[in-house]
């Protein structure tokens, strides 16, 4: 089982920065992918950034060059550094963890409760 605790959301002006953090507690499971998704009102949830346990990353085109995802495997923590924020970045951001369960076949996705990011002048 994996439980997630998110932090770091808030209100910032365009051009500002925020740093999101997600701490995962894993029991009888091995975490593979960690990432961030976001969902704006009236829109589908979309991938923002993901990092695997080897350090490989993938970003949505809309955030490349502005956002950086990082991972601390020893602490089971993933961060999302968001710079040069735009109003269109406003959304609820969800931490996502994919983990292999030791006592069952396959992997499962776990989701944080979401943290609000609002970019407005």
């Amino acid at each position: 089982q994996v439980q997630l605790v998110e932090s770091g959301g808030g209100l910032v002006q365009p051009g500002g920065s925020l740093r999101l953090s997600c701490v995962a507690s894993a029991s009888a499971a091995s975490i593979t992918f960690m990432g961030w998704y976001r969902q704006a009102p009236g829109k589908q949830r979309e991938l923002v950034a993901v990092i695997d346990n080897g350090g490989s990353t993938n970003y949505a085109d809309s955030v490349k060059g502005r956002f950086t995802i990082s991972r601390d495997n020893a602490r089971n923590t993933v961060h999302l550094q968001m710079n040069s924020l735009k109003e269109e970045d406003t959304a609820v951001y969800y931490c996502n963890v994919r983990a292999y369960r030791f006592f069952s076949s396959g992997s499962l996705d776990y989701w944080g409760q979401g943290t609000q990011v609002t970019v407005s002048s």
Side-chain angles (χ1 to χ4, degrees), residues 45-86:
R45 186 173 298 185
E46 64 175 351
L47 173 71
V48 177
V50 64
I51 184 169
D52 67 15
N53 52 4
S56 296
T57 59
N58 191 30
Y59 297 90
D61 289 339
S62 60
V63 306
K64 285 183 178 178
R66 300 188 298 120
F67 292 9
T68 302
I69 188 170
S70 61
R71 176 173 176 171
D72 185 340
N73 291 334
R75 297 183 175 92
N76 283 330
T77 301
V78 62
H79 303 281
L80 184 68
Q81 179 67 45
M82 304 184 294
N83 298 325
S84 301
L85 284 163
K86 305 174 181 179

Side-chain angles (χ1 to χ4, degrees), residues 19 32 49 61 72 96:
R19 182 176 174 86
T32 53
D61 289 339
D72 185 340
N96 171 256

Side-chain angles (χ1 to χ4, degrees), residues 4 6 33-37 94-98 109-112:
L4 310 176
E6 302 177 1
F33 293 86
M34 304 184 76
W36 293 92
Y37 288 71
Y94 296 90
C95 179
N96 171 256
V97 169
R98 181 168 296 177
D109 284 333
Y110 299 85
W111 295 91

